[in-house]
Amino acid sequence: MLSHVRWLAWLPLLAQADHFDVYILAGQSNAGGHGYVSREFSQFSPKGDEGLEELGKSSYLQPQPDALFIHWRGGNPSAARPVLWDARSDGWIPMRAGYSLYGYNSANPAQLGTEIANHPFGAEVTFAERIREGRPGRKVAIIKYSQGATGFGTAAAPGAWDPAAGRAYDISTYANAGHCYAGLLELVEGSLQTLTQQGHTHEVRGMMWHQGENDSGLSTAVYKDRLKEFIGAIRSDLDEPELPFLVGELIQTSYANTRAAQQQAAAEVPDAAFISSVTLKGDSTAIHFDTTGQLDFGRRYAERMLQVGPAMRRAIAHWKLDETTLPWTGAYDGIPDSVSGTEGILYGYVESDQVAVNSTVVNRDGPEAGGDRAYDFAPDAGIAGINTNRPDALPAKGDFTLLVSMKTTHLHTAQGHLFSNNNGQPGRAGLYVLNGALSWFVEGGVSLSEPASPIFDGQWHRVGIMRKGDAWSLLRDGEIVASVNSARGIDQTVEWMIGRMRAFNGNYEGMIGDVLVLNHAVTDPLEIESSQIIPGGTCQLEWSSQAGFEYGVESSVNLVDWSLFRIVPAAAGPTTTDIFPDPGDGDRLFLRIR
């Protein structure tokens, strides 16, 4: 972080201590915004772009309750103005349209930081409005940093938003490379520090990014890689590894290659989403969105941010193992991961055992009441594990949780692998049982065990592994039973197996009813925090009737995008599939991943 944070003195104090949900909006001039109070104040000719007054939306000129705003417009530092901004708001100000920033004037340096009425505004206005509607009672604070005609550049010629140049930025050089990235980090750090100093608490809930016009000369592949690099860097530097990141699409009239790269990057990066600009109006520049376009873009950002929750918590993979039969096509396949759609294959010991697999392995009673199914991983039934066909089921780095529902009476005098990619390769890993101990290892640095584990009692248990940062925790029935710290990563080249090692041994003997992988660290899904569902939309819920197991959403569009949870006692919930109506304003509906 920059060492020259010297701006806290001019941040005004806020009257009362509160908790703020903080959002970041950053990028080029479209992030800054080209919405206007009226066409009279449009800086472009002809002045035909309608403003709030012409649109009958002057109410946006009034301060929004429970919403704060802070803005720097970036600028190239020089000896004449050794700062990282052309203009800035006077600290935290009430959220409203029409009060933005006056540009730097070298003939009158006193104008630096002056607020004037009728200046452009961006998506922040309606974003704050819609977020407050969707999360009533929450207070919103938006940090905006923008500078027109800036970009990532290339590795050989880094631009103002280049993360590496920004991290090493020395303001005394007045360099262009990295100055926007450095300025954004300084603004976020100082803004959050001020809230803390005034007694407020805060949580950074997401970031909106609108940039790419200045990098439109880059190929789709190069811009995609640069954007992915930026997302990883900003999450790392803000210490928010799961920060929801929304990529705002450039205007439809141009930039086809860059828009394609934006969409591809958002699809490939976890916890990122692409916000379409289709049908949004542009102004007379054919580059910027006009007043209506900015108002609509803010709502689109907000609708997606409301869906993703604080950290886009979701499942990475889920094998329910609830098949009642399996087709035989030379192998037993069609065992799906319900998240990715990838189909796994059931292996037998020898071909002569294959016929017996269906009748003796699948369609067994599972851990939950109401018809839940499970697989019996027993050598006498001929089963030798499931190849998931997913080498990426557990991430190499980053937080995750693996949970396996299992039941056995075997102590396993040889290793019995519940979930493993062990094929002798570097970075191999596995959750296994051995001599009465539940264990986990990653080759080259991680080894955990619970000796004399109680899981061999012929009852259903939920076991697994959790990684948060460099902290690894072995889990049993919602409890941490062993922990260790290690930065060792997990191999991504070999498919994961259920019920044995990837090498042809390490067979587990017992039942497995469910394998779930989450992209965040939690000892048990029952402990995930609660969150309000957006009013609107109907979903079908299927609930377990057995206390001690999670309550679950079985069918819903974009299930995990809008699922955060709390414990609901079995007696309090329905025991059959129910159709729940639209939640009303202010209603709280709590769901559970299965």
Side-chain angles (χ1 to χ4, degrees), residues 370-442:
D372 184 38
R373 302 289 85 191
Y375 281 21
D376 185 359
F377 290 77
D380 56 1
I383 189 171
I386 298 167
N387 185 337
T388 68
N389 284 319
R390 284 203 58 180
D392 60 343
L394 300 188
K397 296 283 189 177
D399 297 356
F400 74 88
T401 304
L402 164 67
L403 296 168
V404 179
S405 296
M406 53 82 67
K407 179 172 74 170
T408 188
T409 58
H410 297 275
L411 291 179
H412 290 82
T413 56
Q415 290 183 2
H417 284 250
L418 295 162
F419 198 65
S420 175
N421 72 346
N422 187 347
N423 199 34
Q425 79 279 19
R428 60 191 180 274
L431 179 69
Y432 64 96
V433 290
L434 176 64
N435 292 323
L438 173 67
S439 304
W440 165 263
F441 86 104
V442 180

Coordinates of all heavy atoms in Angstrom, one line a residue, residues 370-442:
G370 N -37.0 -39.8 3.9 CA -37.8 -39.3 2.8 C -37.2 -39.8 1.5 O -37.4 -39.1 0.5
G371 N -36.6 -41.0 1.4 CA -36.2 -41.5 0.1 C -34.8 -41.2 -0.3 O -34.4 -41.4 -1.5
D372 N -34.0 -40.6 0.5 CA -32.6 -40.3 0.1 C -31.8 -41.6 -0.2 O -32.0 -42.6 0.5 CB -31.9 -39.5 1.3 CG -30.5 -39.1 0.9 OD1 -30.3 -38.7 -0.3 OD2 -29.6 -39.1 1.8
R373 N -31.0 -41.5 -1.2 CA -30.3 -42.7 -1.7 C -28.8 -42.6 -1.4 O -28.3 -41.5 -1.1 CB -30.5 -42.9 -3.2 CG -31.9 -43.0 -3.6 CD -32.5 -44.4 -3.2 NE -33.1 -44.3 -1.8 CZ -33.5 -45.4 -1.1 NH1 -33.3 -46.6 -1.6 NH2 -34.0 -45.2 0.1
A374 N -28.1 -43.7 -1.4 CA -26.6 -43.8 -1.2 C -26.1 -44.9 -1.9 O -26.8 -45.8 -2.5 CB -26.4 -43.9 0.3
Y375 N -24.7 -45.0 -2.0 CA -24.0 -46.1 -2.6 C -23.3 -46.9 -1.6 O -22.8 -46.4 -0.6 CB -22.9 -45.5 -3.6 CG -23.4 -45.0 -4.9 CD1 -24.7 -44.7 -5.2 CD2 -22.4 -44.9 -6.0 CE1 -25.1 -44.2 -6.4 CE2 -22.8 -44.5 -7.2 CZ -24.2 -44.1 -7.4 OH -24.6 -43.7 -8.7
D376 N -23.2 -48.2 -1.8 CA -22.5 -49.1 -0.9 C -21.2 -49.5 -1.6 O -21.1 -50.2 -2.5 CB -23.3 -50.4 -0.7 CG -22.7 -51.3 0.4 OD1 -21.6 -51.0 0.9 OD2 -23.3 -52.3 0.6
F377 N -20.1 -48.9 -1.0 CA -18.8 -49.2 -1.5 C -18.2 -50.4 -0.8 O -17.5 -50.3 0.2 CB -17.8 -48.0 -1.3 CG -18.2 -46.8 -2.2 CD1 -19.3 -46.0 -1.8 CD2 -17.5 -46.5 -3.3 CE1 -19.7 -44.9 -2.6 CE2 -17.8 -45.4 -4.1 CZ -18.9 -44.6 -3.7
A378 N -18.5 -51.6 -1.4 CA -18.2 -52.8 -0.7 C -17.5 -53.7 -1.8 O -18.0 -54.0 -2.8 CB -19.4 -53.5 -0.2
P379 N -16.3 -54.3 -1.4 CA -15.6 -55.2 -2.4 C -16.4 -56.4 -2.9 O -16.4 -56.8 -4.0 CB -14.4 -55.7 -1.6 CG -14.2 -54.6 -0.6 CD -15.5 -54.1 -0.2
D380 N -17.3 -56.9 -2.0 CA -18.0 -58.1 -2.4 C -19.1 -57.7 -3.4 O -19.7 -58.6 -4.0 CB -18.7 -58.8 -1.2 CG -19.5 -57.9 -0.3 OD1 -19.7 -56.7 -0.7 OD2 -20.0 -58.3 0.7
A381 N -19.4 -56.4 -3.6 CA -20.4 -56.0 -4.6 C -19.7 -55.6 -5.9 O -20.4 -55.3 -6.9 CB -21.2 -54.8 -4.1
G382 N -18.4 -55.7 -5.9 CA -17.7 -55.4 -7.1 C -17.4 -54.0 -7.4 O -16.8 -53.7 -8.4
I383 N -17.7 -53.1 -6.5 CA -17.5 -51.6 -6.8 C -16.0 -51.2 -6.4 O -15.5 -51.7 -5.4 CB -18.5 -50.8 -6.0 CG1 -18.4 -49.3 -6.4 CG2 -18.3 -50.9 -4.5 CD1 -19.5 -48.5 -5.9
A384 N -15.4 -50.4 -7.2 CA -14.1 -49.9 -6.9 C -14.0 -48.4 -7.1 O -13.0 -47.9 -7.5 CB -13.1 -50.6 -7.8
G385 N -15.0 -47.7 -6.8 CA -15.0 -46.3 -6.8 C -15.6 -45.6 -8.0 O -15.8 -46.2 -9.0
I386 N -15.8 -44.3 -7.9 CA -16.3 -43.4 -8.9 C -15.3 -42.5 -9.4 O -14.7 -41.7 -8.6 CB -17.5 -42.7 -8.4 CG1 -18.6 -43.6 -8.0 CG2 -18.1 -41.7 -9.5 CD1 -19.7 -43.0 -7.2
N387 N -15.0 -42.5 -10.7 CA -14.1 -41.4 -11.3 C -15.0 -40.3 -11.6 O -15.9 -40.3 -12.4 CB -13.5 -42.0 -12.5 CG -12.5 -41.0 -13.1 OD1 -12.6 -39.8 -12.9 ND2 -11.5 -41.5 -13.9
T388 N -14.8 -39.1 -10.9 CA -15.7 -38.0 -11.1 C -15.4 -37.2 -12.4 O -16.2 -36.4 -12.9 CB -15.5 -37.0 -10.0 OG1 -14.1 -36.4 -10.1 CG2 -15.7 -37.6 -8.6
N389 N -14.3 -37.5 -13.1 CA -13.9 -36.8 -14.3 C -13.6 -35.3 -14.1 O -13.7 -34.5 -15.0 CB -14.9 -37.0 -15.5 CG -14.8 -38.4 -16.1 OD1 -13.7 -38.9 -16.3 ND2 -15.9 -39.0 -16.4
R390 N -13.4 -35.0 -12.8 CA -13.1 -33.6 -12.5 C -11.8 -33.5 -11.7 O -11.7 -33.7 -10.5 CB -14.2 -33.0 -11.6 CG -15.5 -32.7 -12.4 CD -16.3 -31.6 -11.7 NE -15.6 -30.4 -11.5 CZ -16.1 -29.3 -10.9 NH1 -17.4 -29.3 -10.5 NH2 -15.4 -28.2 -10.7
P391 N -10.7 -33.1 -12.4 CA -9.4 -32.8 -11.7 C -9.4 -31.5 -10.9 O -8.5 -31.3 -10.1 CB -8.4 -32.8 -12.9 CG -9.2 -32.3 -14.1 CD -10.5 -33.0 -13.9
D392 N -10.4 -30.7 -11.2 CA -10.5 -29.4 -10.5 C -11.5 -29.3 -9.4 O -12.0 -28.3 -9.0 CB -10.8 -28.3 -11.5 CG -12.2 -28.5 -12.2 OD1 -12.7 -29.7 -12.2 OD2 -12.7 -27.6 -12.8
A393 N -12.0 -30.5 -8.9 CA -13.0 -30.5 -7.9 C -12.7 -29.8 -6.7 O -13.5 -29.2 -6.0 CB -13.4 -32.0 -7.6
L394 N -11.4 -29.8 -6.2 CA -10.9 -29.0 -5.1 C -9.9 -28.0 -5.7 O -9.1 -28.3 -6.5 CB -10.2 -29.8 -4.1 CG -11.1 -30.9 -3.4 CD1 -10.3 -31.5 -2.2 CD2 -12.4 -30.4 -2.9
P395 N -10.0 -26.7 -5.3 CA -9.1 -25.7 -5.9 C -7.7 -25.9 -5.4 O -7.4 -26.3 -4.3 CB -9.7 -24.4 -5.4 CG -10.5 -24.8 -4.1 CD -11.0 -26.1 -4.4
A396 N -6.8 -25.5 -6.3 CA -5.4 -25.6 -5.9 C -5.0 -24.7 -4.8 O -4.3 -25.1 -3.8 CB -4.5 -25.2 -7.2
K397 N -5.6 -23.5 -4.8 CA -5.4 -22.5 -3.7 C -6.7 -21.9 -3.4 O -7.7 -22.0 -4.2 CB -4.4 -21.4 -4.2 CG -3.0 -21.8 -4.5 CD -2.2 -22.1 -3.2 CE -0.7 -22.3 -3.5 NZ 0.0 -22.5 -2.2
G398 N -6.8 -21.2 -2.3 CA -8.0 -20.5 -1.9 C -8.9 -21.3 -1.0 O -8.7 -22.5 -0.8
D399 N -9.9 -20.7 -0.4 CA -10.8 -21.3 0.6 C -11.7 -22.4 -0.1 O -12.1 -22.2 -1.2 CB -11.6 -20.3 1.3 CG -10.8 -19.3 2.1 OD1 -9.6 -19.4 2.2 OD2 -11.4 -18.3 2.6
F400 N -12.0 -23.4 0.6 CA -13.0 -24.4 0.2 C -13.4 -25.2 1.4 O -12.7 -25.3 2.4 CB -12.5 -25.3 -0.9 CG -11.5 -26.3 -0.5 CD1 -11.9 -27.6 -0.1 CD2 -10.1 -26.1 -0.5 CE1 -11.0 -28.6 0.3 CE2 -9.2 -27.1 -0.1 CZ -9.7 -28.3 0.3
T401 N -14.4 -26.0 1.2 CA -14.9 -27.0 2.2 C -15.3 -28.2 1.5 O -16.1 -28.1 0.5 CB -16.0 -26.5 3.1 OG1 -15.7 -25.3 3.7 CG2 -16.4 -27.5 4.2
L402 N -14.8 -29.4 1.8 CA -15.2 -30.7 1.3 C -16.0 -31.4 2.4 O -15.5 -31.5 3.6 CB -14.0 -31.5 0.9 CG -14.3 -33.0 0.7 CD1 -15.2 -33.3 -0.5 CD2 -13.0 -33.8 0.5
L403 N -17.2 -31.9 2.1 CA -18.0 -32.6 3.1 C -18.5 -33.9 2.5 O -19.1 -33.9 1.4 CB -19.2 -31.7 3.5 CG -18.9 -30.5 4.3 CD1 -20.1 -29.6 4.4 CD2 -18.3 -30.8 5.7
V404 N -18.3 -35.0 3.2 CA -18.7 -36.4 2.7 C -19.6 -37.0 3.8 O -19.2 -37.1 5.0 CB -17.5 -37.2 2.5 CG1 -17.9 -38.6 2.0 CG2 -16.5 -36.6 1.5
S405 N -20.8 -37.4 3.4 CA -21.7 -38.2 4.3 C -21.3 -39.7 4.1 O -21.4 -40.2 3.0 CB -23.2 -38.0 3.9 OG -23.5 -36.6 4.1
M406 N -20.9 -40.3 5.2 CA -20.4 -41.7 5.2 C -20.9 -42.5 6.4 O -21.3 -42.0 7.4 CB -18.9 -41.7 5.1 CG -18.2 -40.9 6.2 SD -18.0 -41.7 7.8 CE -16.9 -43.0 7.3
K407 N -20.9 -43.8 6.2 CA -21.3 -44.7 7.3 C -20.5 -46.0 7.1 O -20.5 -46.6 6.0 CB -22.8 -45.0 7.2 CG -23.3 -46.0 8.3 CD -24.8 -46.2 8.4 CE -25.3 -47.0 7.2 NZ -26.8 -47.3 7.4
T408 N -19.9 -46.5 8.1 CA -19.1 -47.7 8.0 C -18.9 -48.3 9.4 O -19.0 -47.6 10.4 CB -17.7 -47.4 7.4 OG1 -17.0 -48.7 7.2 CG2 -16.8 -46.6 8.3
T409 N -18.6 -49.6 9.4 CA -18.2 -50.3 10.7 C -16.8 -50.8 10.5 O -16.3 -51.5 11.5 CB -19.1 -51.5 10.9 OG1 -19.1 -52.4 9.8 CG2 -20.6 -51.0 11.2
H410 N -16.1 -50.6 9.4 CA -14.8 -51.1 9.1 C -13.7 -50.1 9.7 O -13.7 -48.9 9.3 CB -14.6 -51.3 7.6 CG -15.5 -52.4 7.1 ND1 -15.2 -53.7 7.1 CD2 -16.7 -52.3 6.5 CE1 -16.2 -54.4 6.6 NE2 -17.1 -53.5 6.2
L411 N -12.8 -50.6 10.4 CA -11.7 -49.8 10.9 C -10.6 -49.5 9.8 O -9.9 -48.5 9.9 CB -10.9 -50.4 12.1 CG -11.8 -50.5 13.4 CD1 -10.9 -51.2 14.5 CD2 -12.2 -49.1 13.8
H412 N -10.6 -50.3 8.8 CA -9.7 -50.1 7.6 C -8.2 -50.3 8.1 O -7.6 -49.3 8.4 CB -9.9 -48.8 6.9 CG -11.2 -48.7 6.2 ND1 -12.4 -48.4 6.8 CD2 -11.5 -48.9 4.9 CE1 -13.4 -48.4 6.0 NE2 -12.9 -48.7 4.8
T413 N -7.8 -51.5 8.1 CA -6.3 -51.7 8.4 C -5.4 -51.3 7.2 O -4.2 -51.1 7.4 CB -6.1 -53.2 8.7 OG1 -6.6 -54.0 7.5 CG2 -6.9 -53.6 9.9
A414 N -6.0 -51.1 6.0 CA -5.3 -50.4 4.9 C -6.2 -49.1 4.6 O -7.3 -49.1 4.9 CB -5.2 -51.3 3.7
Q415 N -5.5 -48.2 4.0 CA -6.2 -46.9 3.7 C -7.5 -47.1 2.9 O -7.5 -47.8 1.9 CB -5.3 -45.9 3.0 CG -4.1 -45.4 3.8 CD -3.3 -44.4 3.0 OE1 -3.6 -44.1 1.9 NE2 -2.3 -43.9 3.7
G416 N -8.6 -46.5 3.4 CA -9.8 -46.5 2.6 C -10.2 -45.0 2.3 O -10.5 -44.2 3.1
H417 N -10.0 -44.7 1.0 CA -10.2 -43.3 0.6 C -11.6 -42.9 0.3 O -12.3 -43.5 -0.6 CB -9.3 -43.0 -0.6 CG -7.8 -42.9 -0.3 ND1 -7.1 -41.8 -0.4 CD2 -6.9 -43.9 0.2 CE1 -5.9 -42.0 0.0 NE2 -5.7 -43.2 0.3
L418 N -12.1 -41.9 1.0 CA -13.4 -41.4 0.7 C -13.4 -40.5 -0.5 O -14.3 -40.5 -1.3 CB -13.9 -40.6 1.9 CG -14.1 -41.4 3.2 CD1 -14.2 -40.5 4.4 CD2 -15.4 -42.2 3.1
F419 N -12.4 -39.6 -0.6 CA -12.3 -38.7 -1.8 C -10.8 -38.4 -2.0 O -10.1 -38.0 -1.1 CB -13.0 -37.4 -1.4 CG -13.4 -36.5 -2.6 CD1 -14.3 -37.0 -3.6 CD2 -12.8 -35.3 -2.8 CE1 -14.6 -36.2 -4.7 CE2 -13.1 -34.5 -3.9 CZ -14.0 -35.0 -4.9
S420 N -10.3 -38.8 -3.2 CA -8.9 -38.8 -3.4 C -8.5 -38.6 -4.9 O -9.3 -39.0 -5.8 CB -8.3 -40.1 -2.9 OG -6.9 -40.2 -3.2
N421 N -7.4 -37.9 -5.1 CA -6.8 -37.8 -6.5 C -5.4 -38.4 -6.5 O -4.6 -38.1 -7.4 CB -6.8 -36.4 -7.0 CG -5.7 -35.5 -6.3 OD1 -5.2 -35.9 -5.3 ND2 -5.5 -34.3 -6.8
N422 N -5.2 -39.3 -5.5 CA -3.8 -39.9 -5.3 C -3.5 -40.8 -6.5 O -4.1 -41.9 -6.5 CB -3.8 -40.6 -4.0 CG -2.4 -41.0 -3.7 OD1 -1.5 -41.1 -4.5 ND2 -2.2 -41.4 -2.4
N423 N -2.6 -40.4 -7.3 CA -2.1 -41.3 -8.4 C -0.5 -41.3 -8.3 O 0.1 -41.5 -9.3 CB -2.6 -40.9 -9.7 CG -2.5 -42.0 -10.7 OD1 -2.6 -43.2 -10.4 ND2 -2.2 -41.6 -12.0
G424 N 0.0 -40.9 -7.2 CA 1.4 -40.8 -7.0 C 2.1 -39.5 -7.5 O 3.3 -39.4 -7.4
Q425 N 1.3 -38.6 -7.9 CA 1.8 -37.3 -8.4 C 2.1 -36.3 -7.3 O 1.5 -36.4 -6.2 CB 0.8 -36.7 -9.4 CG -0.4 -36.0 -8.8 CD -1.5 -36.9 -8.4 OE1 -1.3 -38.1 -8.2 NE2 -2.7 -36.3 -8.2
P426 N 3.0 -35.3 -7.6 CA 3.2 -34.2 -6.6 C 1.9 -33.5 -6.4 O 1.1 -33.3 -7.3 CB 4.2 -33.3 -7.3 CG 4.9 -34.2 -8.3 CD 3.8 -35.2 -8.8
G427 N 1.6 -33.1 -5.1 CA 0.4 -32.3 -4.8 C -0.8 -33.2 -4.6 O -1.9 -32.7 -4.5
R428 N -0.6 -34.5 -4.7 CA -1.8 -35.4 -4.5 C -2.4 -35.2 -3.1 O -1.7 -34.8 -2.2 CB -1.4 -36.9 -4.7 CG -0.4 -37.4 -3.8 CD 0.2 -38.7 -4.2 NE 1.2 -39.2 -3.3 CZ 2.5 -38.9 -3.4 NH1 2.9 -38.1 -4.3 NH2 3.4 -39.5 -2.5
A429 N -3.7 -35.6 -3.0 CA -4.4 -35.3 -1.8 C -5.5 -36.4 -1.6 O -5.9 -37.0 -2.5 CB -5.0 -33.9 -1.8
G430 N -6.0 -36.5 -0.3 CA -7.0 -37.5 -0.1 C -7.6 -37.4 1.3 O -6.9 -37.1 2.3
L431 N -8.9 -37.6 1.4 CA -9.6 -37.8 2.7 C -9.8 -39.3 2.9 O -10.4 -39.9 2.0 CB -10.9 -37.1 2.7 CG -11.8 -37.2 3.9 CD1 -11.2 -36.4 5.1 CD2 -13.2 -36.6 3.6
Y432 N -9.3 -39.9 3.9 CA -9.3 -41.3 4.0 C -9.5 -41.8 5.5 O -9.4 -41.0 6.4 CB -8.1 -42.0 3.4 CG -6.8 -41.6 4.1 CD1 -6.2 -42.4 5.1 CD2 -6.1 -40.4 3.8 CE1 -5.0 -42.1 5.7 CE2 -4.9 -40.1 4.4 CZ -4.4 -40.9 5.4 OH -3.2 -40.6 6.0
V433 N -9.7 -43.1 5.7 CA -9.7 -43.7 7.0 C -8.7 -44.8 7.1 O -8.4 -45.5 6.1 CB -11.1 -44.2 7.3 CG1 -12.1 -43.1 7.5 CG2 -11.6 -45.2 6.2
L434 N -8.1 -44.9 8.3 CA -7.0 -45.9 8.5 C -6.9 -46.2 9.9 O -6.7 -45.4 10.8 CB -5.7 -45.4 8.0 CG -4.5 -46.3 8.2 CD1 -4.6 -47.6 7.4 CD2 -3.2 -45.5 7.8
N435 N -7.0 -47.5 10.3 CA -6.9 -48.0 11.6 C -7.7 -47.2 12.6 O -7.2 -46.8 13.7 CB -5.4 -48.0 12.0 CG -4.6 -49.1 11.3 OD1 -5.1 -50.2 11.0 ND2 -3.4 -48.7 10.9
G436 N -8.9 -47.0 12.3 CA -9.8 -46.2 13.2 C -9.6 -44.8 13.2 O -10.2 -44.1 14.1
A437 N -8.8 -44.2 12.3 CA -8.5 -42.7 12.3 C -9.1 -42.1 11.1 O -8.9 -42.7 10.0 CB -7.1 -42.5 12.5
L438 N -9.7 -41.0 11.2 CA -10.1 -40.1 10.1 C -8.9 -39.3 9.7 O -8.3 -38.6 10.6 CB -11.3 -39.3 10.4 CG -11.8 -38.2 9.4 CD1 -12.3 -38.9 8.2 CD2 -12.8 -37.3 10.0
S439 N -8.6 -39.2 8.4 CA -7.3 -38.5 8.1 C -7.4 -37.8 6.8 O -8.3 -38.1 5.9 CB -6.2 -39.6 7.9 OG -6.0 -40.3 9.1
W440 N -6.5 -36.8 6.6 CA -6.4 -36.0 5.4 C -4.9 -35.7 5.1 O -4.2 -35.5 6.1 CB -7.2 -34.7 5.5 CG -6.8 -33.7 4.4 CD1 -5.9 -32.6 4.5 CD2 -7.4 -33.6 3.1 NE1 -5.9 -31.9 3.3 CE2 -6.8 -32.5 2.4 CE3 -8.3 -34.4 2.4 CZ2 -7.0 -32.2 1.1 CZ3 -8.6 -34.0 1.1 CH2 -8.0 -32.9 0.5
F441 N -4.5 -35.7 3.9 CA -3.2 -35.4 3.6 C -3.1 -34.6 2.2 O -4.0 -34.8 1.3 CB -2.2 -36.6 3.5 CG -2.2 -37.3 2.2 CD1 -1.1 -37.1 1.3 CD2 -3.3 -38.1 1.8 CE1 -1.1 -37.7 0.1 CE2 -3.3 -38.7 0.6 CZ -2.2 -38.5 -0.3
V442 N -2.1 -33.8 2.1 CA -1.7 -33.2 0.8 C -0.2 -33.5 0.7 O 0.5 -33.0 1.6 CB -2.0 -31.7 0.6 CG1 -1.5 -31.2 -0.7 CG2 -3.5 -31.5 0.8

